[in-house]
Amino acid sequence: MVDNPDWEPWEPKMIPNPDYKGPWEHPMIANPEYAPDDKLYAVCDEGCTHVGFELWQVKSGTLFDDIIVTDSLEEAQKFAEETFFKKKDGERAAYDEKEKKEAEARKAASADEDDDEDDEDEEDIFGDEF
């Protein structure tokens, strides 16, 4: 890059403000209704019976099943062996079959569109002469 001695970095012009008192700091206002609550974040006093999930899906068709909430790794592994690992191969085969059928349908649809476009191109080449 070539140095330019006439060039200076631009800075905005500062207009004096006689009322400026510095950065704003929020005042601490007393709340007479406030009372500390030790159980504010305590959940499931008698044991949890329900769990809620907020799920955001990017692709539709996502399924959730066999959900377990535990703090025991051994219990989670046992549950996975009894549920997930028994269904995994069958679900994968069903998914692959579905994808294969959809790919064949897309291929057939694109082949039909290509045939239609070829017919239109031939008509445009010869025009009204033939």
Side-chain angles (χ1 to χ4, degrees):
M1 183 168 211
V2 179
D3 290 331
N4 185 350
D6 297 331
W7 180 80
E8 295 178 11
W10 180 84
E11 292 182 9
K13 293 181 181 178
M14 299 299 289
I15 301 171
N17 182 359
D19 296 332
Y20 181 70
K21 298 175 185 164
W24 181 78
E25 291 184 23
H26 62 86
M28 296 298 289
I29 300 172
N31 182 356
E33 297 177 12
Y34 172 76
D37 185 2
D38 294 336
K39 296 184 178 184
L40 182 66
Y41 298 105
V43 292
C44 300
D45 289 338
E46 292 91 30
C48 291
T49 59
H50 297 80
V51 176
F53 293 96
E54 181 176 354
L55 304 172
W56 289 61
Q57 296 186 52
V58 176
K59 184 177 179 181
S60 64
T62 305
L63 302 174
F64 296 91
D65 64 352
D66 301 329
I67 297 172
I68 182 173
V69 178
T70 182
D71 60 354
S72 168
L73 180 60
E74 294 81 19
E75 184 179 0
Q77 287 174 338
K78 181 181 176 190
F79 183 80
E81 290 169 5
E82 294 171 354
T83 57
F84 172 73
F85 292 114
K86 286 186 178 180
K87 295 187 282 186
K88 180 179 74 163
D89 295 331
E91 289 178 353
R92 171 57 69 181
Y95 177 78
D96 290 342
E97 183 65 27
K98 177 182 168 252
E99 288 294 314
K100 183 179 176 183
K101 287 180 182 178
E102 288 177 358
E104 290 172 358
R106 283 192 301 269
K107 187 176 179 181
S110 67
D112 289 343
E113 289 176 11
D114 290 343
D115 290 343
D116 292 343
E117 289 175 8
D118 291 342
D119 294 342
E120 291 172 6
D121 292 343
E122 289 174 5
E123 291 171 9
D124 293 339
I125 293 171
F126 298 116
D128 294 332
E129 295 176 17
F130 296 101

